[in-house]
Amino acid sequence: MDKKVPGEEIIVVDNVFKTFPGGICALSDFSMRVRRKEVLVVIGPSGSGKSTFLRCLNGLEEVDKGSITIDGIPLNDDKRNRFEIRKEVGMVFQSFNLFPHLTVLENLNLAQILVRKKSRKEATDFSMALLNKVGIPEKANIFPNHLSGGQQQRVAIARALAMMPKVMLFDEATSALDPEMTGEVLAVMKQLAREGMTMVVVTHEMGFAREVSDRMVFMEGGRLIEEGPAEQFFTKPKEERTKLFLSQVL
Amino acid sequence: MKASSIKVGRLSKRSPIVDIAAFLLVVAGLTWITGTGTATLGYNWQWYRVPQYLLTYEEGRWLAGPLIDGLMVTFEITGASLILAFSFGLISALCRLSDSYLARMIARGYLELIRNTPLLVQLFFIYFVMAPIFDLSRFASAVLALSLFEGAYASEIFRAGIVSIHKGQWEAAHSLGLSTFDTYRRIILPQAIRRILPPLTSQAISLVKDSALVSTIAVYDLTMRGREIISETFLAFEIWFTIAAVYLVVTVSLSLVVSIMERRFGDAG
């Protein structure tokens, strides 16, 4: 893989706190920077706050304290900012969340037409190009429930890409899939990484993390425990807690 | 996801003859009970006088009798009320789910007020108190009262349908940059409507039946026409049974149309 050069900081997270009702602390004084074209992989035990971190980045969760800025736009109470950020940040969910009452093509076209104000023709052309890219152009006119899990997730990735986002978030995108389907979804994600997409990935796939990530982050209890380049992170972790976790998952 | 397409059919391959026999037995039993009941009543049945109030044949063409005229008014009232009731229902459901405290309270007040008072009282209130102020016709008062009443029940149905849609659908729509309005319009409501079609149908059927109450403010619907005929002819049982049968035909047809629609929806995802 040609090593791309990360650009300027596109995601700036400063001292974020997030506590859920019931007192569960998901993020505690959490700060993070992500550069353009960087692939950041976040790992950690369940309940460590990694998904919450991801969901805060496009405003699906509101932070209690601290600031988040995406590509220069602060994520705050201003609804227009939130709307702008969501246009530029694509998200892929563990449970796909495709729209079951729309065909694959309509799933991809919807936001292009409603949000990007493209014509149906333009949207369809781009959608078909994306379906080709994720390898299932023949499924364009099928309803999502008739697809396998791996195919659904590839459609979900294509749907997020249809908005031409600057950043892609992957929230355990392969956790609901069996190993064979995991492979096909990871292949698409690897291709995206190679093309220079800025990605923040929460995953349990350590092989994928090692191969694709520019930087690894290990979280626990809503805090950053350790971060570093993938090679160093996997071979010579500094923190005891990281070593223990890696010994369990590798 | 596709609960609607699961066939809840008989698993055993029982002969339909058994079912038909059981059905006939029940009908025979009911007929016998009605027969003995009316015999002890000593009522002079004059069914032959009824058809003229439905349809008459004069000078080579069919003319609608007063009951059919009344049915048309019932259709007009229920049609208009249905559209308004579902609008009230949807709007108040959205208000109850909105972030605005004021909107939630107004919707809540509307629901509690309407659901905890009798429809007849509401109808009188609108006709005798509101109508003179706002210059409403009898027809408009009837439609307004019925749609406010049924709308309160439709509201709960809409709300249940909307909250039954998985949170992930909202998140997916929001993460694509869709506004709340677009998310409701293109993602949430199309899915919710499919789920709530059966209870909405029951509500529409209630509306058809409740529309009989508008006869109390002298709107010439099916029931009012029937009362008029009875007061002239004293054919109380014949006319009331005929009216009941006409309502039954309307409501059963409505159910059939909706079940056909449901089957069509079921195919698409």
Side-chain angles (χ1 to χ4, degrees), chain A residues 55 83 86 98-101, chain B residues 169 171 174-175 177 186 191:
Chain A
R55 293 161 58 82
F83 185 68
R86 283 173 173 167
L98 292 175
F99 305 130
H101 60 301
Chain B
Q169 295 288 306
E171 293 182 347
H174 278 158
S175 72
R186 303 299 292 271
Q191 295 184 60

Side-chain angles (χ1 to χ4, degrees), chain A residues 55 58 60 83 86-87 89-91 93 97-102 110-111 114-115 143 145-146 159-160 163, chain B residues 1-2 99 166-169 171-179 182 185-187 190-191 194 267-269:
Chain A
R55 293 161 58 82
N58 66 348
L60 286 183
F83 185 68
R86 283 173 173 167
K87 270 163 55 176
V89 178
M91 187 163 196
F93 301 88
N97 295 346
L98 292 175
F99 305 130
H101 60 301
L102 302 177
L110 186 75
L114 289 178
V115 183
F143 286 99
N145 290 348
H146 298 256
R159 180 178 67 178
M163 287 295 289
Chain B
M1 269 296 168
K2 280 192 70 183
D99 293 333
H166 192 264
K167 199 170 80 132
Q169 295 288 306
E171 293 182 347
H174 278 158
S175 72
L176 286 168
L178 262 63
S179 63
D182 280 337
R185 191 169 61 102
R186 303 299 292 271
I187 307 297
Q191 295 184 60
R194 273 166 221 208
D267 295 338

Side-chain angles (χ1 to χ4, degrees), chain B:
Chain B
M1 269 296 168
K2 280 192 70 183
S4 61
S5 67
I6 295 168
K7 293 277 179 290
V8 194
R10 273 198 306 267
L11 290 174
S12 63
K13 290 215 169 146
R14 191 166 54 165
S15 160
I17 293 169
V18 180
D19 287 326
I20 293 168
F23 176 72
L24 289 178
L25 207 64
V26 171
V27 171
L30 286 174
T31 315
W32 180 77
I33 290 170
T34 323
T36 49
T38 50
T40 53
L41 204 64
Y43 184 79
N44 178 23
W45 293 94
Q46 303 180 57
W47 280 106
Y48 68 91
R49 290 176 64 190
V50 172
Q52 56 173 319
Y53 297 113
L54 289 166
L55 283 173
T56 48
Y57 189 75
E58 268 173 42
E59 294 167 5
R61 56 201 190 102
W62 289 99
L63 293 173
L67 287 181
I68 297 298
D69 283 342
L71 180 62
M72 292 305 139
V73 174
T74 295
F75 278 150
E76 284 166 24
I77 287 177
T78 46
S81 305
L82 199 64
I83 295 166
L84 262 184
F86 286 176
S87 314
F88 287 150
L90 183 58
I91 292 166
S92 59
L94 295 179
C95 283
R96 281 199 72 184
L97 294 166
S98 86
D99 293 333
S100 154
Y101 179 77
L102 183 70
R104 285 205 305 271
M105 281 304 112
I106 291 173
R108 203 50 203 280
Y110 159 63
L111 294 191
E112 295 301 335
L113 188 69
I114 295 291
R115 289 192 304 169
N116 294 310
T117 51
L119 173 55
L120 191 61
V121 175
Q122 294 165 21
L123 185 64
F124 284 166
F125 180 78
I126 288 176
Y127 180 57
F128 291 113
V129 181
M130 307 299 276
I133 302 172
F134 296 104
D135 196 24
L136 296 174
S137 67
R138 279 205 295 267
F139 184 86
S141 309
V143 167
L144 188 62
L146 277 175
S147 43
L148 282 173
F149 181 77
E150 305 294 339
Y153 290 89
S155 172
E156 289 295 72
I157 297 171
F158 275 113
R159 196 172 71 102
I162 290 167
V163 299
S164 80
I165 302 300
H166 192 264
K167 199 170 80 132
Q169 295 288 306
W170 280 102
E171 293 182 347
H174 278 158
S175 72
L176 286 168
L178 262 63
S179 63
T180 302
F181 177 75
D182 280 337
T183 305
Y184 265 126
R185 191 169 61 102
R186 303 299 292 271
I187 307 297
I188 305 300
L189 288 177
Q191 295 184 60
I193 299 283
R194 273 166 221 208
R195 287 189 194 179
I196 62 177
L197 212 45
L200 276 185
T201 311
S202 325
Q203 206 53 50
I205 287 170
S206 294
L207 176 60
V208 172
K209 293 181 296 170
D210 291 343
S211 74
L213 275 180
V214 304
S215 62
T216 57
I217 58 168
V219 172
Y220 279 76
D221 75 326
L222 179 58
T223 304
M224 185 64 194
R225 293 289 191 170
R227 284 165 44 158
E228 207 180 33
I229 295 165
I230 290 165
S231 65
E232 287 166 8
T233 62
F234 300 105
L235 292 171
F237 282 102
E238 290 89 338
I239 295 296
W240 280 126
F241 283 160
T242 306
I243 289 170
V246 173
Y247 277 117
L248 195 66
V249 169
V250 173
T251 52
V252 168
S253 317
L254 194 60
S255 307
L256 280 177
V257 169
V258 174
S259 66
I260 291 166
M261 273 165 65
E262 257 178 281
R263 225 167 297 152
R264 290 257 294 278
F265 272 164
D267 295 338

